[in-house]
Amino acid sequence: NTGYGSKLSVGGGGMSSNRLGFRGEEGMGGGLKAVWAMEAGINPDNGNVGAAAGTAGINQATASSSTSTGTANLFFGRQMFAGLEGGFGSLTFGRQYTASYLGGAGIVDAAGGGLYNNAALILGGGMPTRMNNSIVYKTPTMSGFKAHFTYSTGAENNVAGDVTAAGAACVVGVSCTTNDKAGRGWDLGLIYGA
């Protein structure tokens, strides 16, 4: 039942869109390889791109979007990156998951309603699921530990000075402006697995 009355959805993905992805790697010698990935959210029942609308231009919050069912302009809205991998770990560039999200996703179910309810609550609204124009460095695993560092350049916010944030809920004493630094951010995760 996908709405009022008995209705049938033929593959919309429920609370999240279906996935279509491509990954590749090319050995470059000496243990070094080039890696890339393109991951899309799709809704085969109606042909929609399965992602929320992007926030390109002047972001009011963060350089991220969800992968909820919907219509949007982000075809490869999950991840899209390329980079190098080797004995040093990996260094990739593009739209990528943050370590904070991966840590939260590990303790909740796919719909976000697990032991700690919703991964977004763990993040506290400060770090998005994915960051656009990001640089990600992942260390090799050492004694079960690895580090995951993400930095985003905030390239979507290309304005000369402070501007009113679109859709911002202005509260007395709280700024309703954004600027060219608003999309910048970093995230560091230490992950242990055994």
Side-chain angles (χ1 to χ4, degrees):
N1 185 352
T2 61
Y4 295 106
S6 297
K7 299 176 183 173
L8 178 65
S9 175
V10 289
M15 295 186 74
S16 183
S17 59
N18 290 284
R19 300 169 187 231
L20 173 65
F22 306 93
R23 282 184 187 265
E25 61 182 53
E26 179 70 29
M28 301 176 71
L32 187 66
K33 60 184 173 183
V35 295
W36 60 272
M38 301 179 344
E39 300 173 353
I42 59 169
N43 297 322
D45 55 341
N46 58 19
N48 285 344
V49 173
T55 54
I58 301 168
N59 292 340
Q60 64 263 31
T62 58
S64 174
S65 76
S66 72
T67 56
S68 58
T69 57
T71 304
N73 56 359
L74 298 174
F75 185 73
F76 290 109
R78 289 185 179 273
Q79 290 194 102
M80 187 168 188
F81 64 84
L84 296 172
E85 190 174 297
F88 64 90
S90 68
L91 183 65
T92 52
F93 304 86
R95 177 175 168 80
Q96 304 172 78
Y97 284 117
T98 63
S100 293
Y101 170 75
L102 294 174
I107 55 176
V108 299
D109 63 33
L115 177 62
Y116 293 102
N117 187 25
N118 188 317
L121 297 177
I122 296 171
L123 301 180
M127 184 58 61
T129 302
R130 300 162 190 84
M131 293 181 84
N132 293 335
N133 297 296
S134 65
I135 302 165
V136 171
Y137 172 64
K138 297 178 189 174
T139 66
T141 301
M142 296 169 276
S143 301
F145 288 95
K146 64 181 174 181
H148 180 138
F149 178 78
T150 306
Y151 173 73
S152 175
T153 64
E156 288 83 7
N157 293 317
N158 190 19
V159 293
D162 289 346
V163 295
T164 300
C170 298
V171 179
V172 176
V174 177
S175 174
C176 292
T177 62
T178 188
N179 56 45
D180 69 332
K181 297 178 179 67
R184 294 180 191 173
W186 61 272
D187 183 63
L188 176 63
L190 183 61
I191 300 163
Y192 177 74

